[in-house]
Amino acid sequence: MPAVAPFAPRACHVCRPSARPVRPHPRVDAARASVRGVRRRDDGVDRDLARRRPGAGEGAVSEASTEYTEADAERMRRALALAATAAGKTFPNPVVGCVIVDERSGVVVGEGYHPKAGEPHAEVFALRAAGANAKGCTAYVTLEPCDHFGRTPPCSRALVDAGVTRVVVGFVDPDPRVSGGGIRTLLDAGIEVCVGCCEEECREINADFIARNTR
């Protein structure tokens, strides 16, 4: 994976500095639908998410959070910068970035992005970079982790197997093969999930991908 320039934190019109949790875009209602198992509309695509997976596993978080801090937003902006590295190169896949952080020290232990279709996804590159250090960490992903076997295995399962304890997601994947399924897998494994961090920016860099999956 090509090197990416060091990240310089900056303020943005979506994620403004705040000492209090930041409320995300209203579209994160789709995430709540996925964990409650009800039929909802996400970007024009109806699906019964209750049929995707059984009820939450024992000890799983009851539902995804929709609150995040400025520290979360800063890390998501780094993931966005990583994702932008492959802009125009991933068709028909989305551009995705991932950052894995050890919350105890605040140190980034792994980073990655999806370079092109057929190659590993952002989460896989980040987990490879983190190695055993990923256990107990928080993963920041610009798009909901995939939950199906395509050219590559599901990233949701990779995050579970790596032992991360929290996943912060930019927005819910509109792809019918995923939409809510990745979040559900994480919740079923007892992982804390936050949805909607810097959602507007995460959606903006994937406008074409969203349009193709919501017709």
Side-chain angles (χ1 to χ4, degrees):
M1 185 179 67
V4 179
F7 175 56
R10 63 180 178 82
C12 70
H13 68 287
V14 176
C15 309
R16 298 183 175 87
S18 173
R20 296 175 297 177
V22 183
R23 294 295 300 180
H25 195 280
R27 278 188 291 258
V28 298
D29 283 345
R32 290 191 179 280
S34 72
V35 297
R36 289 172 181 161
V38 297
R39 190 176 182 84
R40 296 288 288 275
R41 176 174 294 274
D42 174 39
D43 294 315
V45 179
D46 279 337
R47 57 187 64 87
D48 188 352
L49 296 173
R51 295 180 182 177
R52 186 176 297 278
R53 294 199 176 273
E58 184 177 355
V61 179
S62 62
E63 64 178 30
S65 168
T66 58
E67 293 188 348
Y68 58 92
T69 66
E70 175 56 25
D72 290 332
E74 181 176 318
R75 293 159 181 170
M76 186 61 79
R77 287 194 291 270
R78 173 57 180 168
L80 279 161
L82 290 163
T85 304
K89 303 174 183 177
T90 62
F91 182 87
N93 293 351
V95 290
V96 183
C98 178
V99 174
I100 299 176
V101 179
D102 184 338
E103 297 291 358
R104 294 160 294 190
S105 63
V107 173
V108 173
V109 298
E111 294 184 336
Y113 64 89
H114 179 48
K116 64 178 181 179
E119 292 292 318
H121 291 181
E123 299 94 321
V124 174
F125 279 119
L127 288 171
R128 286 178 181 176
N133 292 324
K135 186 173 182 180
C137 288
T138 295
Y140 296 83
V141 193
T142 55
L143 176 68
E144 175 186 5
C146 67
D147 195 51
H148 62 285
F149 282 89
R151 297 184 187 182
T152 59
C155 292
S156 57
R157 178 50 55 184
L159 290 166
V160 171
D161 292 343
V164 301
T165 55
R166 181 172 180 249
V167 176
V168 180
V169 176
F171 72 103
V172 178
D173 193 335
D175 186 334
R177 297 172 298 174
V178 183
S179 196
I183 293 170
R184 191 50 151 180
T185 290
L186 297 172
L187 290 172
D188 285 353
I191 295 174
E192 179 184 352
V193 181
C194 169
V195 181
C197 183
C198 294
E199 180 177 5
E200 185 174 330
E201 287 186 315
C202 291
R203 294 177 69 90
E204 183 178 348
I205 65 171
N206 275 304
D208 291 343
F209 174 75
I210 294 172
R212 291 196 303 274
N213 283 279
T214 55
R215 291 173 181 170

